[in-house]
């Protein structure tokens, strides 16, 4: 709670500030804009470049979800035809114990990008787990999701890891390139 004193009385203002240094005392003779500014919380204002980057990142995340889709933990259980009573158990095990899938947070929900799942076997695609074992553990969430959709050079060809998902060896090599980059850059 912020205590505010609006007054013309300089003695009253001095007394309040002596008793409560965090109190805001405003002399009504000050210009209106100055009074409003003093009542506003003090925060850094992001620059236009930072705001532009936030907008680009938000758009990229939405594009990713629109393109690949995603499942909730309960939908992962349905997809896997799990009979477990705990409808989140399958996704939890695959994500946290087996580390064969990854998740992103979106509007307060944990989602599992759809390309990770093989519709024939109803399990995670082997290439995803292989990549996750090689990639730095610090590469998580949205940074990890967008890595899957970022073109990387391998053997003179530019390919996204998700485009190579049918070839676990190739995806593993792409993941190793990223892991080596992290070690070289000191980010791991």
């Amino acid at each position: 709670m912020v205590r505010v004193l609006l007054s013309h009385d300089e003695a009253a203002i001095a007394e309040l500030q002596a008793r409560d240094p965090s109190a805001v005392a405003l002399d009504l003779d000050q210009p209106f804009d100055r009074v409003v500014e003093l009542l506003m919380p003090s925060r850094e204002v992001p620059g236009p470049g930072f705001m532009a980057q936030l907008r680009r990142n938000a758009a990229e995340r939405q594009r990713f979800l629109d393109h690949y889709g995603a499942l909730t933990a309960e939908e992962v259980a349905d997809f896997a035809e799990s009979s477990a009573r705990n409808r989140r158990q399958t996704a939890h095990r695959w994500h946290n114990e087996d580390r064969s899938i990854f998740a992103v947070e979106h509007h307060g929900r944990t989602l599992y990008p759809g390309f990770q799942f093989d519709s024939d076997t109803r399990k995670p695609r082997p290439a995803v787990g292989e990549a996750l074992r090689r990639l730095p553990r610090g590469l998580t969430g949205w940074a990890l999701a967008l890595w899957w959709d970022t073109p990387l050079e391998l053997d003179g060809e530019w390919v996204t890891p998700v485009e190579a998902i049918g070839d676990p060896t190739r995806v593993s090599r792409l993941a190793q390139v990223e892991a080596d980059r992290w070690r070289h850059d000191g980010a791991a």
Side-chain angles (χ1 to χ4, degrees), residues 89-101 137:
Q89 179 184 9
T90 302
H92 181 272
R93 181 172 36 87
W94 285 348
H95 180 236
N96 296 311
E97 296 171 22
D98 300 348
R99 201 164 184 246
S100 58
I101 62 173
R137 285 202 175 260

Side-chain angles (χ1 to χ4, degrees), residues 157-174:
E157 178 186 358
W158 288 91
V159 62
T160 66
V162 77
E163 289 170 338
I165 203 159
D167 184 349
T169 302
R170 197 165 182 210
V171 172
S172 178
R173 289 179 58 211
L174 289 166

Side-chain angles (χ1 to χ4, degrees), residues 61-62 64-66 68-76 88 91 95 101-117 140-142 144-145:
R61 289 178 182 192
Q62 190 60 55
F64 180 92
L65 289 174
D66 290 345
Y68 296 111
L71 305 173
T72 64
E74 293 83 0
E75 290 168 334
V76 169
R88 295 173 173 261
H95 180 236
I101 62 173
F102 69 94
V104 297
E105 294 297 319
H106 181 67
H107 291 293
R109 297 183 337 169
T110 301
L111 299 176
Y112 302 89
F115 70 81
Q116 302 179 92
F117 305 100
T140 61
W142 279 108
L144 176 57

Side-chain angles (χ1 to χ4, degrees), residues 10 35 44 47 54-55 60 67 70 73-74 84 110 127 129 132 140 142 156 170 180 183:
E10 290 182 27
V35 173
E44 289 293 319
L54 290 174
R55 282 191 291 280
E60 189 61 22
H67 187 76
E74 293 83 0
T110 301
L132 294 176
T140 61
W142 279 108
R170 197 165 182 210
D180 292 345
R183 271 191 291 286

